[in-house]
Amino acid sequence: MVRKRRKGLAVFGLAIFFELVTFSWTIAENIKIGIPSLTVTMMPVAVAKEQGFFQREGLSVDLVLMPASLNIKVLLAGDIQYATTITAGIVANIRGVQTRVVMCFVDRPLLDLVGHPEISAITDLKGKLVGLSSRGGLHDVTMRRIFVQSGMDPSQATFITLGEQGAMMTAIKSGKIAAGLLNPPHNFLAYRDGLKNLGWAGNFFHAPSTGLVTMRETI
């Protein structure tokens, strides 16, 4: 009788255990990932979401579109749990902020310096307006490296912030700016419309450009 009672309690206990485990698997952790643009460099997170890779790890993920300059600021504010701007995350860490890079998608900037048809070379940008997506981020650092390695001082051109890639391409086409850095697929669309490839950023600057950055307490 005692044995039967113990056996019954053991079976009941196992049933409760497996019920709790199953229940815990059904509760996904909600996280938000900040992305600066809908470009090919963001494909890993988009594919992971679409193919259910996040869900298999118990994560319910929202991709939040925001300017690159805000990615790390919003991460620090706690409104997102991961950012994709590695360069800004590293700069923040150097300044004492407890950011951590947990994954890298690209080891160099997948950017083309695209110019108006009247611009034939990088040196033609002296005295011209040049577009950036944000200040202090990857585009800013990359543009300055391109200028220096082309024998120019960045102060010889005027850098202006335009933000979204579509606006950048439109500004180049209209002649409002002489050139700007464009991600795929915007660079290919620009060439189709007659704009010029002045150089691939990867030939001037090697650095992780996109991936996942979070705060130390998150991991």
Side-chain angles (χ1 to χ4, degrees), residues 148-201:
V148 170
Q149 292 191 36
S150 299
M152 299 168 57
D153 191 300
S155 63
Q156 292 179 299
T158 301
F159 295 166
I160 63 172
T161 304
L162 292 175
E164 195 266 329
Q165 291 275 283
M168 184 88 71
M169 185 169 67
T170 300
I172 301 170
K173 288 170 62 176
S174 66
K176 290 182 179 179
I177 61 174
L181 291 169
L182 294 179
N183 290 316
H186 296 90
N187 54 341
F188 302 119
L189 296 174
Y191 303 144
R192 185 188 64 183
D193 292 341
L195 301 184
K196 287 189 176 181
N197 182 350
L198 300 178
W200 177 47

Side-chain angles (χ1 to χ4, degrees), residues 84-90 101 103-110 137-138 141-142 205-213:
T84 50
T85 51
I86 283 186
T87 305
I90 293 173
V101 176
M103 183 178 291
C104 177
F105 303 153
V106 184
D107 69 347
R108 64 192 69 195
L110 296 181
L138 177 67
V141 174
T142 300
F205 183 42
H206 289 198
S209 59
T210 55
L212 291 177
V213 182

